[in-house]
Amino acid sequence: MKHAYQDPCGQPSCCPPEQLQLPSCKGWLMLAPRVIAATLSGSAQVIKRTFDGSWQDEDTCCTHKSDCCEIPETSCPSPCVGEVIWQACSGDRLHHLLKIRNTGNDSRKFKLAAQTFSCSNAQLDIKPSEKTLKPGEHFEAKLSFVVPDELAGGSYSSEVKILGRYEQVLCVHLCVHPRQACCTEVKQGEIPKRIKADHWYKHFQCEENCFEEITDSKADARKK
């Protein structure tokens, strides 16, 4: 029983069919000279294309270029779904909102787990830290953190693990300014004044305050 082999791309195949028909006696006699001729011809082409620079690595797959010689591939997405970059001073309270949505076809419980910041025991506070979501539902988790004094003057990193059907992470980077950079000294005395010309045709100058003076009544009104 004969089996016809047809390449799906309509091109000569690099691989032989699973079942081959045995050659005749005449075919065996013609095999050796044809193999020698094909080898010499192919070698000549390889040598020529090697020296003129037209030979490509993918040519070793098949003498006829075809997309069938390449296996399609896809790459995996990064587990890091985003980055939070904070700059703060010790004592500052920081907040970030993390929104989780279930885009799957089944209900699933999502858990959020914060890792400690590098080189410290400080950790983010997450509320709520877990929630069961139906398909299409979402919830919002509030990340908060009060910068402790021991982190002053350094850069730290942490992760919030998002555990659903698989694991993803939210990357958190924290830069804490040194204590001396978190202090501003203000000196205030009398109201500064500026001098301007009254009119160009008059040789007079006038003097006025640069800022409005705040009286006790105005100060009380601005506090309200």
Side-chain angles (χ1 to χ4, degrees):
M1 186 177 186
K2 295 183 179 179
H3 296 273
Y5 176 76
Q6 184 178 359
D7 185 67
C9 295
Q11 299 289 343
S13 173
C14 304
C15 303
E18 294 181 358
Q19 297 185 11
L20 294 176
Q21 187 177 8
L22 293 176
S24 63
C25 294
K26 183 179 179 180
W28 282 110
L29 294 175
M30 297 298 296
L31 179 62
R34 287 180 179 177
V35 168
I36 295 174
T39 303
L40 294 176
S41 176
S43 299
Q45 288 293 326
V46 171
I47 295 172
K48 178 179 180 299
R49 295 182 61 187
T50 299
F51 282 105
D52 63 18
S54 63
W55 182 265
Q56 302 294 329
D57 291 338
E58 57 267 20
D59 291 335
T60 58
C61 170
C62 187
T63 55
H64 298 270
K65 284 192 174 181
S66 171
D67 292 337
C68 295
C69 293
E70 298 179 0
I71 300 177
E73 296 181 351
T74 59
S75 58
C76 293
S78 171
C80 183
V81 297
E83 288 186 315
V84 178
I85 301 176
W86 281 331
Q87 292 194 20
C89 295
S90 57
D92 286 352
R93 180 178 293 273
L94 306 171
H95 301 279
H96 188 80
L97 198 62
L98 178 59
K99 189 173 183 178
I100 309 295
R101 182 180 298 275
N102 182 10
T103 59
N105 299 322
D106 303 316
S107 296
R108 190 163 303 280
K109 177 181 283 188
F110 289 85
K111 295 183 179 180
L112 305 177
Q115 306 300 298
T116 57
F117 280 97
S118 54
C119 304
S120 74
N121 295 321
Q123 189 174 350
L124 291 166
D125 182 52
I126 305 177
K127 293 182 180 179
S129 60
E130 64 178 55
K131 184 83 172 180
T132 299
L133 299 177
K134 295 180 180 180
E137 288 186 339
H138 75 276
F139 80 103
E140 294 179 350
K142 186 176 181 180
L143 313 181
S144 60
F145 183 67
V146 178
V147 183
D149 291 339
E150 57 266 24
L151 297 188
S155 297
Y156 309 90
S157 60
S158 178
E159 291 181 348
V160 176
K161 291 188 176 182
I162 305 167
L163 307 173
R165 184 164 188 171
Y166 55 97
E167 180 179 313
Q168 295 175 293
V169 294
L170 176 68
C171 304
V172 181
H173 305 283
L174 173 64
C175 176
V176 184
H177 299 290
R179 293 181 179 86
Q180 61 268 23
C182 298
C183 175
T184 301
E185 183 180 4
V186 178
K187 296 181 179 180
Q188 187 182 113
E190 299 299 323
I191 299 177
K193 300 180 182 298
R194 69 169 181 170
I195 298 175
K196 66 175 185 177
D198 189 3
H199 288 290
W200 66 269
Y201 51 85
K202 295 181 180 179
H203 299 283
F204 297 98
Q205 293 175 327
C206 61
E207 187 179 89
E208 61 181 16
N209 290 336
C210 294
F211 305 103
E212 180 184 0
E213 184 176 1
I214 299 177
T215 61
D216 293 339
S217 59
K218 289 183 178 180
D220 294 337
R222 293 187 181 186
K223 290 180 181 180
K224 297 181 181 180

